[in-house]
Amino acid sequence: MLVILKTNCTTAQKKAIEDYIFSCNGQIVEAPGKTRNVLGIVGIDHTVDREVIASYPGVDQVVPITQPYKLAGRDLHKEDTQMTIPGKKGASMTVGKGSLGIIAGPCTVESRQQIIETAYAVKEAGATALRGGAFKPRTNPYSFRGLKSKGLEYLAEAREETGLPIVTEVLSVEDLPQVAEIADVVQIGTRNMQNYPLLTAAGRQSKPVLLKRGLAATLDEFLLAAEYIMVEGNRRVILCERGIRTFEGEVRFTLALAAVPLLREKTHLPVIVDPSHGTGKSSIVRPMCRAAIAAGADGLLVEVHPNPEIARIDGAQSITCSEFSTIMKEVSAIADCLGRTKIH
Ligand code: PEP
Ligand code: MN
């Protein structure tokens, strides 16, 4: 519900309105307008009564929030959200509102040397954050599931060396404290997009969350998953389109690029694209990176490996450091021509 205050609403009147909302377990999101102040009422199971609140002095109008995702949607938050995520040595990633966040690195951390070598290479090419899974969700339980805490340790070392902020995945509520301690951005993967206890726990900790679209999720389900995180207090969510399951057998997943402008209409949150999982094919990652930025994405998540042929996971979709460098040049040129020049 949106409570539009009269232009002459006094501080005491506003306080009485707020007290009523809080007494009904409502949370308030202030949305200052050009001429009038608006209070957005959110919160799980609040009992604010529309007629009661409309009767308070100082209230001009009460209107419903039409989008079900009240915090992720644009009703309460018209402007694009921008986030700056610091790493070390003065390096940081800024994503959203014209700034492109470029997250690159291997699917999984394999060794200290592999992650540090990749970190230097992607940084040199212009990446703004380093990715690498330490806890890996695998379809086949006999596959390599990541180096776990050792992997986190190597990621932290790569950040010490290069300064790049770290993006790494969390698989369970139980692992969240140790992942969030090292990660600068906690990734929730496609398989966990509807793991509501994990979303809730991620919303109760302070690190930004990179939320990937479920492989069979609608955009509304995706945004409601983001809402699960936000309603717990963590408003720093980055959305990632990573392809959906379709009948098409040529690619691992179908990269749904129309999701980018659609999401940008519906939400103020940054939207990035993962053409690696979104295609499963290293030979077409490059054109899909270009297309993603041209479609208005706020950044990319790309799997880069110093030697994709021997990658322990996802070698077929991983590109080399030199291919990544070429992509960065092309993507910067496209961003430039669209007036979205800042990559930092
Ligand atoms: C990943 O980013 O390595 C990953 C497992 O992604 P997704 O959850 O999109 O499959
Ligand atoms: Mn992968």
Side-chain angles (χ1 to χ4, degrees):
M1 189 177 319
L2 292 173
V3 182
I4 302 166
L5 303 180
K6 288 187 174 147
T7 39
N8 60 357
C9 176
T10 64
T11 313
Q13 286 171 340
K14 184 167 172 236
K15 167 114 188 8
I17 298 162
E18 288 169 344
D19 286 347
Y20 168 64
I21 296 169
F22 292 137
S23 75
C24 301
N25 279 331
Q27 291 175 28
I28 298 175
V29 178
E30 286 217 37
K34 281 202 185 83
T35 49
R36 297 183 300 182
N37 274 347
V38 177
L39 303 180
I41 306 175
V42 294
I44 303 161
D45 294 336
H46 71 73
T47 53
V48 176
D49 184 281
R50 193 175 161 175
E51 278 173 26
V52 172
I53 201 144
S55 69
Y56 272 74
V59 172
D60 186 9
Q61 266 184 73
V62 183
V63 290
I65 299 178
T66 48
Q67 292 173 310
Y69 23 86
K70 301 178 196 317
L71 296 166
R74 284 204 187 262
D75 278 355
L76 268 176
H77 201 296
K78 304 262 182 267
E79 277 204 15
D80 287 355
T81 286
Q82 185 176 76
M83 290 167 217
T84 295
I85 295 137
K88 290 266 164 84
K89 297 181 162 176
S92 64
M93 167 166 79
T94 300
V95 60
K97 209 177 181 180
S99 284
L100 301 187
I102 310 286
I103 304 164
C107 181
T108 190
V109 182
E110 296 167 8
S111 67
R112 185 177 177 278
Q113 202 230 328
Q114 172 244 22
I115 194 68
I116 292 178
E117 182 184 339
T118 316
Y120 274 117
V122 297
K123 184 176 183 193
E124 170 74 23
T128 53
L130 176 68
R131 62 149 286 142
F135 293 84
K136 293 302 303 177
R138 303 308 305 278
T139 304
N140 181 335
Y142 300 111
S143 311
F144 173 55
R145 299 196 215 175
L147 295 179
K148 307 199 167 73
S149 33
K150 205 73 200 149
L152 293 176
E153 216 176 276
Y154 295 151
L155 282 165
E157 279 191 59
R159 175 177 51 208
E160 286 303 320
E161 294 265 342
T162 61
L164 286 179
I166 300 298
V167 181
T168 195
E169 181 165 356
V170 65
L171 294 182
S172 68
V173 174
E174 191 191 347
D175 297 335
L176 184 58
Q178 67 161 314
V179 173
E181 194 188 325
I182 302 286
D184 299 296
V185 177
V186 173
Q187 176 175 322
I188 295 186
T190 197
R191 294 159 185 83
N192 270 319
M193 191 210 82
Q194 284 178 315
N195 178 339
Y196 297 117
L198 183 59
L199 298 173
T200 300
R204 291 181 182 164
Q205 57 81 53
S206 62
K207 295 289 172 72
V209 178
L210 175 77
L211 179 66
K212 298 186 96 177
R213 180 181 183 182
L215 51 90
T218 65
L219 294 183
D220 273 7
E221 286 163 346
F222 189 18
L223 288 165
L224 285 166
E227 192 78 11
Y228 254 91
I229 299 168
M230 297 175 86
V231 76
E232 298 298 330
N234 188 351
R235 303 285 158 86
R236 294 194 297 169
V237 178
I238 302 165
L239 301 170
C240 180
E241 168 58 57
R242 49 80 67 208
I244 51 174
R245 174 79 29 101
T246 69
F247 53 80
E248 181 55 72
E250 291 285 328
V251 281
R252 185 178 178 194
F253 294 97
T254 296
L255 188 59
L257 281 185
V260 174
L262 280 168
L263 285 168
R264 298 198 72 239
E265 274 178 22
K266 289 168 183 279
T267 179
H268 55 90
L269 296 172
V271 178
I272 70 165
V273 170
D274 168 1
S276 305
H277 295 87
T279 61
K281 259 192 158 104
S282 59
S283 63
I284 57 170
V285 166
R286 182 174 157 195
M288 296 320 278
C289 284
R290 297 191 300 238
I293 298 304
D298 295 301
L300 297 169
L301 182 146
V302 191
E303 286 190 342
V304 180
H305 194 285
N307 188 353
E309 272 158 37
I310 56 160
R312 289 193 75 175
I313 309 180
D314 283 352
Q317 68 193 33
S318 300
I319 55 169
T320 62
C321 302
S322 102
E323 283 169 316
F324 177 66
S325 177
T326 307
I327 290 174
M328 283 304 295
K329 291 189 186 92
E330 293 177 345
V331 154
S332 305
I334 293 167
D336 249 343
C337 94
L338 296 172
R340 308 165 76 237
T341 51
K342 289 171 276 162
I343 300 184
H344 58 185

